[in-house]
Amino acid sequence: MKKVMCLILAAVMMAAMLAGCAQNGGNDASDGGSSDGKRVLTIGGHIRMYPNEEEYWQKVADDFMAENEDVEVVIKWNGSFEDVVESLQAAKMNNETIDIYSCGARYIRNTLVQAGMCVDLTELIEPYADRWIDGALESATLGGKIWALPMGSTGTVTFYYNMAMFDELGLEIPQTFDELVEVCRVIKEEKGITPILQQGSLAGYWPMWFMETYAQSSGHQSVENVEAFLSGDYDFTGEAEIQAFEMIKQFFDEGLIDTDSLNTDADGMRAAFAQGKSAMFFGGTWEYTNVMDVIGDSFEVGVFEFPEMIEGVTPQHGSGCGQSIFVPTLCNPENYDLIMRFIEFFTRPENCGPIVLAASELLPSINGIETSGDEFITYINSHHANSLVTYLDWVWPNEINDVVASNIPAVGAGYTTAEDAVQEIQSTYDRLVEEGYVYAWWDEWTEEDWAKVEPAFIPDTYGQ
Amino acid sequence: MFKQVSQRKKRLGSSAFPYVMTVPALILFTIFVIAPFIYGFYTSFYQWDGLSDMKYIGIKNYIYALQDETFRLSLKNTFVYAVVVTIFKNGIGLGLALLIANQIRGKAFCRTALYMPVTFSYVVVGVLWTWIYNPTFGILNGMLEWLGLDGLIQGWLSDPNIAIFSVAWVDIWKWIGFHMVLYLSALQSVPKTLYEAARIDGANKFDEFIHITIPQINSIIVLNVLLAITGAFVNNYNLVNVMTGGGPFNSTETALTYSVKTAFSYRNLGKANAMSIILFAIVFIIGFLQFKMMTKDAD
């Protein structure tokens, strides 16, 4: 009897396990089919990161449904910001339907477009292209086609500094590298602290330094040079590239920054800055809110541009609109009219405004969104905004980015030379090409590849 | 006749019963271990980013992996890590077991305290030690400074020459309690009479350790070394990822962290799977050789 019971239990366990592992049979909403006779529009994306952002999205969906009573909008936020590709991979394997997807622009540019996951939006968006600020849609263009719609604020990089400490020591905002050296000398003498402490254990932050120095050493040709390099038309071991690394080394050689930064993460950097154990750090404008949360009312925080390293060459800053939406090739092909109806509704400034501003108020990608006029925003918009170039890590592949990221502190701390660093970048590129990397993938695509990303039809009207 | 058939059926039923009972576990093992392994092996012959169509390229991914300098460096780092971790986990674990095996005060407390890190997750342990090693706030450098040992102050995770050892130490610290408990149980099972006989024959403590303790606990040593070495090869991802992310300058990049990076950051799943298969082959061979060598006498 006991054995029979055991066998029954084993059988039940197996059945339960197999049921648990079985593929989701799907429901009307996720399959893109109708639910209660309504047409379903499915919106996906990573879990929202900013305060109230999820509620703002839900409000847009509710307002859209109120305006279109025949439609049900289903929103699914899944995974973290970094998990976008894996989430879409899982959705594809599970045959899920997603009509619109919201995620970081870098993932779209670097991975999703060439993997054939994005629908070509060039023709679809044409009637409403003027809703975006100048240059915004260009940043989502590859091979002459528009693949995504920037729906966020534009981030850039800047030096943050402790205003109270600067005032106490009578320091002025430095414009050139020599002035920054002098500022740091005073801080070290008077306070006995490392002037600049970075979140250097996060390797991904180092290339931002290179983007600044390379913009100057290349005479404002950084993006063009990198594109030529990735196309095989430019050698990355030249004078401009070596000089860009050597400029960063100057920061270490002059004692502005030291190897402590290599062992410091974001929390450590912010804590040191908040406690006055460092006076400055170089970071993204997207960090402002988090930095202010840590500092509170302790002191005022100021920002200044990366200094001029070469006399007469003005700084240029890496930049890009962080968030975008795109139409995945996983969409319901019968839904193009609905998708575009939603996009038209969504890109009205009054509808997308709160979502765009939830991240930051810097240069919203949509025309007509009003910002609050915060001092920090005003400063960045008036100083940095005139000299922005595309983040290089949006142009080069992750392998190259990682080599740059690991070599910057290595050169700075003297573990390798600038010449060896650029040589390693070049040899990494050569290896990638041997392994099948193609920068201008759009030139290699077959008609069949293009057919997969063409919209099934162009709606006559977007239902405005 | 009927009785014979019935008895045979009963015997068959009895012998099949244990196999039937293992079926649920076998199904789970097949679904979550065997099937992914086979699929991983299969995809290692394809160029695949996980999203677009797979393209067959034969053994090229294996060639690309072995030509990749960072992968070769990561294999070297993995070996260094595994050797250091295996030696210290077992050395310290056995040493502590020998101490605790004697009747000392606070034995239960020591055993519990030393075992406690085993129960912590790698992420918690990694974050904890990252802060201990922190050059600005960390208590390690602070303590060295307080003791006047300024010369010993290091960039524990920022110096590429010592970062791998700093991470390895955390792994050792987490697991010595586990190895200590295994050794302790083995030591307690060694018959006391053997030591008494040895003492009568004039053996000192060292002789007893070499000629009685070691041979008597050999099976546990084999198990401990096998667990430590395979664990160090295939269970270092979380710790390295949390503490250094493979840096500085790839000095703590291990085969696991690099293959995960290749798969999910570089979107080269075929090459990443080839790396994993290479790592599996290495661990299999090392584990097999170690097991054979250490059980030679027993055979």
Side-chain angles (χ1 to χ4, degrees), chain A residues 34 57 60 136 158 166 168 178 188 210 220 237 247 281 286 300 390 435 444 449 457:
Chain A
S34 62
W57 270 96
V60 171
T158 186
F166 268 53
E168 180 194 334
D178 290 339
K188 274 199 291 187
F210 185 80
H220 294 176
T237 56
M247 283 178 183
F281 71 89
W286 56 88
E300 276 189 74
T390 308
E435 292 178 11
E444 309 279 320
D449 293 327
F457 65 96

mmCIF file with all atom_site columns, all heavy atoms in Angstrom, chain A residues 34 57 60 136 158 166 168 178 188 210 220 237 247 281 286 300 390 435 444 449 457:
data_model
loop_
_atom_site.group_PDB
_atom_site.id
_atom_site.type_symbol
_atom_site.label_atom_id
_atom_site.label_alt_id
_atom_site.label_comp_id
_atom_site.label_asym_id
_atom_site.label_entity_id
_atom_site.label_seq_id
_atom_site.pdbx_PDB_ins_code
_atom_site.Cartn_x
_atom_site.Cartn_y
_atom_site.Cartn_z
_atom_site.occupancy
_atom_site.B_iso_or_equiv
_atom_site.pdbx_formal_charge
_atom_site.auth_seq_id
_atom_site.auth_comp_id
_atom_site.auth_asym_id
_atom_site.auth_atom_id
_atom_site.pdbx_PDB_model_num
ATOM 1   N N   . SER A 1 34  ? -8.266  39.465 -29.997 1.00 0.00 ? 34  SER A N   1
ATOM 2   C CA  . SER A 1 34  ? -9.262  40.343 -29.395 1.00 0.00 ? 34  SER A CA  1
ATOM 3   C C   . SER A 1 34  ? -9.627  39.877 -27.990 1.00 0.00 ? 34  SER A C   1
ATOM 4   O O   . SER A 1 34  ? -9.537  38.712 -27.675 1.00 0.00 ? 34  SER A O   1
ATOM 5   C CB  . SER A 1 34  ? -10.504 40.378 -30.258 1.00 0.00 ? 34  SER A CB  1
ATOM 6   O OG  . SER A 1 34  ? -11.058 39.087 -30.331 1.00 0.00 ? 34  SER A OG  1
ATOM 7   N N   . TRP A 1 57  ? 2.665   56.101 -17.848 1.00 0.00 ? 57  TRP A N   1
ATOM 8   C CA  . TRP A 1 57  ? 2.403   55.228 -18.995 1.00 0.00 ? 57  TRP A CA  1
ATOM 9   C C   . TRP A 1 57  ? 0.962   54.717 -18.938 1.00 0.00 ? 57  TRP A C   1
ATOM 10  O O   . TRP A 1 57  ? 0.255   54.696 -19.946 1.00 0.00 ? 57  TRP A O   1
ATOM 11  C CB  . TRP A 1 57  ? 3.371   54.040 -18.994 1.00 0.00 ? 57  TRP A CB  1
ATOM 12  C CG  . TRP A 1 57  ? 4.638   54.296 -19.741 1.00 0.00 ? 57  TRP A CG  1
ATOM 13  C CD1 . TRP A 1 57  ? 5.833   54.713 -19.222 1.00 0.00 ? 57  TRP A CD1 1
ATOM 14  C CD2 . TRP A 1 57  ? 4.862   54.151 -21.147 1.00 0.00 ? 57  TRP A CD2 1
ATOM 15  N NE1 . TRP A 1 57  ? 6.771   54.846 -20.207 1.00 0.00 ? 57  TRP A NE1 1
ATOM 16  C CE2 . TRP A 1 57  ? 6.199   54.500 -21.402 1.00 0.00 ? 57  TRP A CE2 1
ATOM 17  C CE3 . TRP A 1 57  ? 4.058   53.770 -22.222 1.00 0.00 ? 57  TRP A CE3 1
ATOM 18  C CZ2 . TRP A 1 57  ? 6.755   54.470 -22.684 1.00 0.00 ? 57  TRP A CZ2 1
ATOM 19  C CZ3 . TRP A 1 57  ? 4.617   53.737 -23.498 1.00 0.00 ? 57  TRP A CZ3 1
ATOM 20  C CH2 . TRP A 1 57  ? 5.949   54.085 -23.721 1.00 0.00 ? 57  TRP A CH2 1
ATOM 21  N N   . VAL A 1 60  ? -1.451  57.346 -20.049 1.00 0.00 ? 60  VAL A N   1
ATOM 22  C CA  . VAL A 1 60  ? -1.498  57.494 -21.511 1.00 0.00 ? 60  VAL A CA  1
ATOM 23  C C   . VAL A 1 60  ? -2.349  56.375 -22.103 1.00 0.00 ? 60  VAL A C   1
ATOM 24  O O   . VAL A 1 60  ? -3.200  56.612 -22.977 1.00 0.00 ? 60  VAL A O   1
ATOM 25  C CB  . VAL A 1 60  ? -0.072  57.473 -22.112 1.00 0.00 ? 60  VAL A CB  1
ATOM 26  C CG1 . VAL A 1 60  ? -0.138  57.405 -23.632 1.00 0.00 ? 60  VAL A CG1 1
ATOM 27  C CG2 . VAL A 1 60  ? 0.705   58.704 -21.691 1.00 0.00 ? 60  VAL A CG2 1
ATOM 28  N N   . ALA A 1 136 ? 16.974  64.508 -33.535 1.00 0.00 ? 136 ALA A N   1
ATOM 29  C CA  . ALA A 1 136 ? 16.563  63.375 -32.687 1.00 0.00 ? 136 ALA A CA  1
ATOM 30  C C   . ALA A 1 136 ? 16.350  62.114 -33.518 1.00 0.00 ? 136 ALA A C   1
ATOM 31  O O   . ALA A 1 136 ? 16.859  61.042 -33.177 1.00 0.00 ? 136 ALA A O   1
ATOM 32  C CB  . ALA A 1 136 ? 15.297  63.728 -31.916 1.00 0.00 ? 136 ALA A CB  1
ATOM 33  N N   . THR A 1 158 ? 29.336  65.436 -17.523 1.00 0.00 ? 158 THR A N   1
ATOM 34  C CA  . THR A 1 158 ? 29.785  66.704 -16.938 1.00 0.00 ? 158 THR A CA  1
ATOM 35  C C   . THR A 1 158 ? 30.589  66.460 -15.671 1.00 0.00 ? 158 THR A C   1
ATOM 36  O O   . THR A 1 158 ? 30.498  65.379 -15.083 1.00 0.00 ? 158 THR A O   1
ATOM 37  C CB  . THR A 1 158 ? 28.549  67.591 -16.618 1.00 0.00 ? 158 THR A CB  1
ATOM 38  O OG1 . THR A 1 158 ? 28.981  68.869 -16.186 1.00 0.00 ? 158 THR A OG1 1
ATOM 39  C CG2 . THR A 1 158 ? 27.676  66.970 -15.533 1.00 0.00 ? 158 THR A CG2 1
ATOM 40  N N   . PHE A 1 166 ? 34.407  74.790 -3.001  1.00 0.00 ? 166 PHE A N   1
ATOM 41  C CA  . PHE A 1 166 ? 35.015  75.726 -3.948  1.00 0.00 ? 166 PHE A CA  1
ATOM 42  C C   . PHE A 1 166 ? 34.938  77.155 -3.398  1.00 0.00 ? 166 PHE A C   1
ATOM 43  O O   . PHE A 1 166 ? 35.905  77.913 -3.475  1.00 0.00 ? 166 PHE A O   1
ATOM 44  C CB  . PHE A 1 166 ? 34.312  75.632 -5.316  1.00 0.00 ? 166 PHE A CB  1
ATOM 45  C CG  . PHE A 1 166 ? 34.952  74.640 -6.265  1.00 0.00 ? 166 PHE A CG  1
ATOM 46  C CD1 . PHE A 1 166 ? 35.175  73.323 -5.865  1.00 0.00 ? 166 PHE A CD1 1
ATOM 47  C CD2 . PHE A 1 166 ? 35.351  75.009 -7.548  1.00 0.00 ? 166 PHE A CD2 1
ATOM 48  C CE1 . PHE A 1 166 ? 35.763  72.408 -6.723  1.00 0.00 ? 166 PHE A CE1 1
ATOM 49  C CE2 . PHE A 1 166 ? 35.942  74.103 -8.407  1.00 0.00 ? 166 PHE A CE2 1
ATOM 50  C CZ  . PHE A 1 166 ? 36.142  72.801 -8.003  1.00 0.00 ? 166 PHE A CZ  1
ATOM 51  N N   . GLU A 1 168 ? 34.613  78.072 -0.236  1.00 0.00 ? 168 GLU A N   1
ATOM 52  C CA  . GLU A 1 168 ? 35.463  78.174 0.965   1.00 0.00 ? 168 GLU A CA  1
ATOM 53  C C   . GLU A 1 168 ? 36.931  78.397 0.588   1.00 0.00 ? 168 GLU A C   1
ATOM 54  O O   . GLU A 1 168 ? 37.640  79.176 1.228   1.00 0.00 ? 168 GLU A O   1
ATOM 55  C CB  . GLU A 1 168 ? 35.317  76.880 1.777   1.00 0.00 ? 168 GLU A CB  1
ATOM 56  C CG  . GLU A 1 168 ? 36.131  76.843 3.053   1.00 0.00 ? 168 GLU A CG  1
ATOM 57  C CD  . GLU A 1 168 ? 36.207  75.430 3.627   1.00 0.00 ? 168 GLU A CD  1
ATOM 58  O OE1 . GLU A 1 168 ? 35.296  74.616 3.370   1.00 0.00 ? 168 GLU A OE1 1
ATOM 59  O OE2 . GLU A 1 168 ? 37.208  75.145 4.314   1.00 0.00 ? 168 GLU A OE2 1
ATOM 60  N N   . ASP A 1 178 ? 44.959  73.140 -17.342 1.00 0.00 ? 178 ASP A N   1
ATOM 61  C CA  . ASP A 1 178 ? 45.898  73.772 -16.405 1.00 0.00 ? 178 ASP A CA  1
ATOM 62  C C   . ASP A 1 178 ? 45.155  74.396 -15.227 1.00 0.00 ? 178 ASP A C   1
ATOM 63  O O   . ASP A 1 178 ? 45.616  74.338 -14.088 1.00 0.00 ? 178 ASP A O   1
ATOM 64  C CB  . ASP A 1 178 ? 46.737  74.846 -17.134 1.00 0.00 ? 178 ASP A CB  1
ATOM 65  C CG  . ASP A 1 178 ? 47.721  74.197 -18.100 1.00 0.00 ? 178 ASP A CG  1
ATOM 66  O OD1 . ASP A 1 178 ? 48.015  72.998 -17.910 1.00 0.00 ? 178 ASP A OD1 1
ATOM 67  O OD2 . ASP A 1 178 ? 48.147  74.879 -19.051 1.00 0.00 ? 178 ASP A OD2 1
ATOM 68  N N   . LYS A 1 188 ? 43.997  69.633 -2.670  1.00 0.00 ? 188 LYS A N   1
ATOM 69  C CA  . LYS A 1 188 ? 44.857  68.644 -2.000  1.00 0.00 ? 188 LYS A CA  1
ATOM 70  C C   . LYS A 1 188 ? 45.618  69.275 -0.837  1.00 0.00 ? 188 LYS A C   1
ATOM 71  O O   . LYS A 1 188 ? 45.723  68.701 0.245   1.00 0.00 ? 188 LYS A O   1
ATOM 72  C CB  . LYS A 1 188 ? 45.854  68.048 -3.004  1.00 0.00 ? 188 LYS A CB  1
ATOM 73  C CG  . LYS A 1 188 ? 45.261  66.870 -3.769  1.00 0.00 ? 188 LYS A CG  1
ATOM 74  C CD  . LYS A 1 188 ? 46.312  65.996 -4.406  1.00 0.00 ? 188 LYS A CD  1
ATOM 75  C CE  . LYS A 1 188 ? 47.009  66.699 -5.543  1.00 0.00 ? 188 LYS A CE  1
ATOM 76  N NZ  . LYS A 1 188 ? 47.907  65.806 -6.269  1.00 0.00 ? 188 LYS A NZ  1
ATOM 77  N N   . PHE A 1 210 ? 37.283  58.961 -22.470 1.00 0.00 ? 210 PHE A N   1
ATOM 78  C CA  . PHE A 1 210 ? 37.914  58.862 -23.787 1.00 0.00 ? 210 PHE A CA  1
ATOM 79  C C   . PHE A 1 210 ? 37.140  59.667 -24.825 1.00 0.00 ? 210 PHE A C   1
ATOM 80  O O   . PHE A 1 210 ? 37.727  60.317 -25.683 1.00 0.00 ? 210 PHE A O   1
ATOM 81  C CB  . PHE A 1 210 ? 38.009  57.391 -24.202 1.00 0.00 ? 210 PHE A CB  1
ATOM 82  C CG  . PHE A 1 210 ? 38.740  57.182 -25.490 1.00 0.00 ? 210 PHE A CG  1
ATOM 83  C CD1 . PHE A 1 210 ? 40.124  57.192 -25.530 1.00 0.00 ? 210 PHE A CD1 1
ATOM 84  C CD2 . PHE A 1 210 ? 38.049  57.004 -26.680 1.00 0.00 ? 210 PHE A CD2 1
ATOM 85  C CE1 . PHE A 1 210 ? 40.808  57.017 -26.718 1.00 0.00 ? 210 PHE A CE1 1
ATOM 86  C CE2 . PHE A 1 210 ? 38.717  56.836 -27.886 1.00 0.00 ? 210 PHE A CE2 1
ATOM 87  C CZ  . PHE A 1 210 ? 40.099  56.831 -27.895 1.00 0.00 ? 210 PHE A CZ  1
ATOM 88  N N   . HIS A 1 220 ? 37.514  67.286 -33.271 1.00 0.00 ? 220 HIS A N   1
ATOM 89  C CA  . HIS A 1 220 ? 36.054  67.148 -33.423 1.00 0.00 ? 220 HIS A CA  1
ATOM 90  C C   . HIS A 1 220 ? 35.664  66.144 -34.516 1.00 0.00 ? 220 HIS A C   1
ATOM 91  O O   . HIS A 1 220 ? 34.621  66.278 -35.134 1.00 0.00 ? 220 HIS A O   1
ATOM 92  C CB  . HIS A 1 220 ? 35.393  68.502 -33.711 1.00 0.00 ? 220 HIS A CB  1
ATOM 93  C CG  . HIS A 1 220 ? 35.497  69.461 -32.568 1.00 0.00 ? 220 HIS A CG  1
ATOM 94  N ND1 . HIS A 1 220 ? 35.042  70.743 -32.650 1.00 0.00 ? 220 HIS A ND1 1
ATOM 95  C CD2 . HIS A 1 220 ? 36.003  69.333 -31.325 1.00 0.00 ? 220 HIS A CD2 1
ATOM 96  C CE1 . HIS A 1 220 ? 35.273  71.376 -31.492 1.00 0.00 ? 220 HIS A CE1 1
ATOM 97  N NE2 . HIS A 1 220 ? 35.858  70.532 -30.674 1.00 0.00 ? 220 HIS A NE2 1
ATOM 98  N N   . THR A 1 237 ? 45.376  53.373 -34.613 1.00 0.00 ? 237 THR A N   1
ATOM 99  C CA  . THR A 1 237 ? 46.644  53.448 -33.858 1.00 0.00 ? 237 THR A CA  1
ATOM 100 C C   . THR A 1 237 ? 47.384  54.756 -34.142 1.00 0.00 ? 237 THR A C   1
ATOM 101 O O   . THR A 1 237 ? 48.588  54.849 -33.947 1.00 0.00 ? 237 THR A O   1
ATOM 102 C CB  . THR A 1 237 ? 47.542  52.258 -34.224 1.00 0.00 ? 237 THR A CB  1
ATOM 103 O OG1 . THR A 1 237 ? 47.726  52.257 -35.646 1.00 0.00 ? 237 THR A OG1 1
ATOM 104 C CG2 . THR A 1 237 ? 46.927  50.947 -33.789 1.00 0.00 ? 237 THR A CG2 1
ATOM 105 N N   . MET A 1 247 ? 46.150  62.074 -22.725 1.00 0.00 ? 247 MET A N   1
ATOM 106 C CA  . MET A 1 247 ? 45.473  63.177 -22.013 1.00 0.00 ? 247 MET A CA  1
ATOM 107 C C   . MET A 1 247 ? 44.843  62.653 -20.718 1.00 0.00 ? 247 MET A C   1
ATOM 108 O O   . MET A 1 247 ? 44.887  63.315 -19.684 1.00 0.00 ? 247 MET A O   1
ATOM 109 C CB  . MET A 1 247 ? 44.369  63.771 -22.902 1.00 0.00 ? 247 MET A CB  1
ATOM 110 C CG  . MET A 1 247 ? 44.876  64.671 -23.997 1.00 0.00 ? 247 MET A CG  1
ATOM 111 S SD  . MET A 1 247 ? 43.436  65.194 -24.956 1.00 0.00 ? 247 MET A SD  1
ATOM 112 C CE  . MET A 1 247 ? 44.220  66.148 -26.223 1.00 0.00 ? 247 MET A CE  1
ATOM 113 N N   . PHE A 1 281 ? 33.562  64.800 -9.272  1.00 0.00 ? 281 PHE A N   1
ATOM 114 C CA  . PHE A 1 281 ? 33.550  63.559 -10.050 1.00 0.00 ? 281 PHE A CA  1
ATOM 115 C C   . PHE A 1 281 ? 32.994  63.857 -11.426 1.00 0.00 ? 281 PHE A C   1
ATOM 116 O O   . PHE A 1 281 ? 32.306  64.861 -11.630 1.00 0.00 ? 281 PHE A O   1
ATOM 117 C CB  . PHE A 1 281 ? 32.760  62.454 -9.336  1.00 0.00 ? 281 PHE A CB  1
ATOM 118 C CG  . PHE A 1 281 ? 31.271  62.650 -9.286  1.00 0.00 ? 281 PHE A CG  1
ATOM 119 C CD1 . PHE A 1 281 ? 30.448  62.172 -10.309 1.00 0.00 ? 281 PHE A CD1 1
ATOM 120 C CD2 . PHE A 1 281 ? 30.669  63.311 -8.214  1.00 0.00 ? 281 PHE A CD2 1
ATOM 121 C CE1 . PHE A 1 281 ? 29.072  62.347 -10.260 1.00 0.00 ? 281 PHE A CE1 1
ATOM 122 C CE2 . PHE A 1 281 ? 29.290  63.487 -8.161  1.00 0.00 ? 281 PHE A CE2 1
ATOM 123 C CZ  . PHE A 1 281 ? 28.493  63.010 -9.198  1.00 0.00 ? 281 PHE A CZ  1
ATOM 124 N N   . TRP A 1 286 ? 22.300  62.007 -16.016 1.00 0.00 ? 286 TRP A N   1
ATOM 125 C CA  . TRP A 1 286 ? 21.238  61.155 -15.472 1.00 0.00 ? 286 TRP A CA  1
ATOM 126 C C   . TRP A 1 286 ? 21.476  60.813 -14.001 1.00 0.00 ? 286 TRP A C   1
ATOM 127 O O   . TRP A 1 286 ? 20.600  60.296 -13.338 1.00 0.00 ? 286 TRP A O   1
ATOM 128 C CB  . TRP A 1 286 ? 21.139  59.862 -16.302 1.00 0.00 ? 286 TRP A CB  1
ATOM 129 C CG  . TRP A 1 286 ? 22.433  59.111 -16.366 1.00 0.00 ? 286 TRP A CG  1
ATOM 130 C CD1 . TRP A 1 286 ? 22.873  58.171 -15.486 1.00 0.00 ? 286 TRP A CD1 1
ATOM 131 C CD2 . TRP A 1 286 ? 23.465  59.247 -17.342 1.00 0.00 ? 286 TRP A CD2 1
ATOM 132 N NE1 . TRP A 1 286 ? 24.120  57.712 -15.850 1.00 0.00 ? 286 TRP A NE1 1
ATOM 133 C CE2 . TRP A 1 286 ? 24.508  58.356 -16.984 1.00 0.00 ? 286 TRP A CE2 1
ATOM 134 C CE3 . TRP A 1 286 ? 23.630  60.040 -18.478 1.00 0.00 ? 286 TRP A CE3 1
ATOM 135 C CZ2 . TRP A 1 286 ? 25.684  58.247 -17.732 1.00 0.00 ? 286 TRP A CZ2 1
ATOM 136 C CZ3 . TRP A 1 286 ? 24.807  59.915 -19.205 1.00 0.00 ? 286 TRP A CZ3 1
ATOM 137 C CH2 . TRP A 1 286 ? 25.804  59.034 -18.843 1.00 0.00 ? 286 TRP A CH2 1
ATOM 138 N N   . GLU A 1 300 ? 25.601  72.809 -1.862  1.00 0.00 ? 300 GLU A N   1
ATOM 139 C CA  . GLU A 1 300 ? 25.102  72.933 -3.236  1.00 0.00 ? 300 GLU A CA  1
ATOM 140 C C   . GLU A 1 300 ? 26.070  72.265 -4.199  1.00 0.00 ? 300 GLU A C   1
ATOM 141 O O   . GLU A 1 300 ? 27.287  72.264 -3.985  1.00 0.00 ? 300 GLU A O   1
ATOM 142 C CB  . GLU A 1 300 ? 24.964  74.406 -3.598  1.00 0.00 ? 300 GLU A CB  1
ATOM 143 C CG  . GLU A 1 300 ? 23.656  75.014 -3.129  1.00 0.00 ? 300 GLU A CG  1
ATOM 144 C CD  . GLU A 1 300 ? 23.480  76.411 -3.696  1.00 0.00 ? 300 GLU A CD  1
ATOM 145 O OE1 . GLU A 1 300 ? 23.196  76.531 -4.902  1.00 0.00 ? 300 GLU A OE1 1
ATOM 146 O OE2 . GLU A 1 300 ? 23.634  77.366 -2.919  1.00 0.00 ? 300 GLU A OE2 1
ATOM 147 N N   . THR A 1 390 ? 27.405  62.162 -30.680 1.00 0.00 ? 390 THR A N   1
ATOM 148 C CA  . THR A 1 390 ? 26.862  60.855 -30.288 1.00 0.00 ? 390 THR A CA  1
ATOM 149 C C   . THR A 1 390 ? 27.859  60.111 -29.395 1.00 0.00 ? 390 THR A C   1
ATOM 150 O O   . THR A 1 390 ? 29.063  60.137 -29.644 1.00 0.00 ? 390 THR A O   1
ATOM 151 C CB  . THR A 1 390 ? 26.604  60.003 -31.551 1.00 0.00 ? 390 THR A CB  1
ATOM 152 O OG1 . THR A 1 390 ? 25.822  60.786 -32.445 1.00 0.00 ? 390 THR A OG1 1
ATOM 153 C CG2 . THR A 1 390 ? 25.880  58.713 -31.210 1.00 0.00 ? 390 THR A CG2 1
ATOM 154 N N   . GLU A 1 435 ? 35.846  37.174 -36.970 1.00 0.00 ? 435 GLU A N   1
ATOM 155 C CA  . GLU A 1 435 ? 34.734  36.386 -36.427 1.00 0.00 ? 435 GLU A CA  1
ATOM 156 C C   . GLU A 1 435 ? 33.389  36.742 -37.077 1.00 0.00 ? 435 GLU A C   1
ATOM 157 O O   . GLU A 1 435 ? 32.359  36.237 -36.667 1.00 0.00 ? 435 GLU A O   1
ATOM 158 C CB  . GLU A 1 435 ? 34.649  36.587 -34.898 1.00 0.00 ? 435 GLU A CB  1
ATOM 159 C CG  . GLU A 1 435 ? 35.820  35.978 -34.151 1.00 0.00 ? 435 GLU A CG  1
ATOM 160 C CD  . GLU A 1 435 ? 35.765  36.213 -32.653 1.00 0.00 ? 435 GLU A CD  1
ATOM 161 O OE1 . GLU A 1 435 ? 34.721  36.669 -32.142 1.00 0.00 ? 435 GLU A OE1 1
ATOM 162 O OE2 . GLU A 1 435 ? 36.785  35.962 -31.981 1.00 0.00 ? 435 GLU A OE2 1
ATOM 163 N N   . GLU A 1 444 ? 25.011  44.591 -46.247 1.00 0.00 ? 444 GLU A N   1
ATOM 164 C CA  . GLU A 1 444 ? 25.142  43.140 -46.426 1.00 0.00 ? 444 GLU A CA  1
ATOM 165 C C   . GLU A 1 444 ? 23.788  42.438 -46.439 1.00 0.00 ? 444 GLU A C   1
ATOM 166 O O   . GLU A 1 444 ? 23.708  41.261 -46.774 1.00 0.00 ? 444 GLU A O   1
ATOM 167 C CB  . GLU A 1 444 ? 25.978  42.538 -45.277 1.00 0.00 ? 444 GLU A CB  1
ATOM 168 C CG  . GLU A 1 444 ? 27.303  43.218 -45.028 1.00 0.00 ? 444 GLU A CG  1
ATOM 169 C CD  . GLU A 1 444 ? 28.366  42.750 -46.002 1.00 0.00 ? 444 GLU A CD  1
ATOM 170 O OE1 . GLU A 1 444 ? 28.387  41.558 -46.288 1.00 0.00 ? 444 GLU A OE1 1
ATOM 171 O OE2 . GLU A 1 444 ? 29.151  43.604 -46.466 1.00 0.00 ? 444 GLU A OE2 1
ATOM 172 N N   . ASP A 1 449 ? 16.165  39.614 -45.872 1.00 0.00 ? 449 ASP A N   1
ATOM 173 C CA  . ASP A 1 449 ? 16.361  40.280 -44.567 1.00 0.00 ? 449 ASP A CA  1
ATOM 174 C C   . ASP A 1 449 ? 15.524  41.554 -44.499 1.00 0.00 ? 449 ASP A C   1
ATOM 175 O O   . ASP A 1 449 ? 14.882  41.835 -43.479 1.00 0.00 ? 449 ASP A O   1
ATOM 176 C CB  . ASP A 1 449 ? 17.842  40.628 -44.357 1.00 0.00 ? 449 ASP A CB  1
ATOM 177 C CG  . ASP A 1 449 ? 18.718  39.394 -44.210 1.00 0.00 ? 449 ASP A CG  1
ATOM 178 O OD1 . ASP A 1 449 ? 18.218  38.405 -43.652 1.00 0.00 ? 449 ASP A OD1 1
ATOM 179 O OD2 . ASP A 1 449 ? 19.878  39.426 -44.655 1.00 0.00 ? 449 ASP A OD2 1
ATOM 180 N N   . PHE A 1 457 ? 1.832   46.847 -43.826 1.00 0.00 ? 457 PHE A N   1
ATOM 181 C CA  . PHE A 1 457 ? 1.109   47.841 -44.654 1.00 0.00 ? 457 PHE A CA  1
ATOM 182 C C   . PHE A 1 457 ? 1.276   49.222 -44.017 1.00 0.00 ? 457 PHE A C   1
ATOM 183 O O   . PHE A 1 457 ? 1.585   49.346 -42.832 1.00 0.00 ? 457 PHE A O   1
ATOM 184 C CB  . PHE A 1 457 ? -0.381  47.487 -44.782 1.00 0.00 ? 457 PHE A CB  1
ATOM 185 C CG  . PHE A 1 457 ? -1.156  47.541 -43.498 1.00 0.00 ? 457 PHE A CG  1
ATOM 186 C CD1 . PHE A 1 457 ? -1.885  48.677 -43.149 1.00 0.00 ? 457 PHE A CD1 1
ATOM 187 C CD2 . PHE A 1 457 ? -1.175  46.443 -42.623 1.00 0.00 ? 457 PHE A CD2 1
ATOM 188 C CE1 . PHE A 1 457 ? -2.618  48.717 -41.955 1.00 0.00 ? 457 PHE A CE1 1
ATOM 189 C CE2 . PHE A 1 457 ? -1.907  46.477 -41.447 1.00 0.00 ? 457 PHE A CE2 1
ATOM 190 C CZ  . PHE A 1 457 ? -2.628  47.610 -41.109 1.00 0.00 ? 457 PHE A CZ  1
#
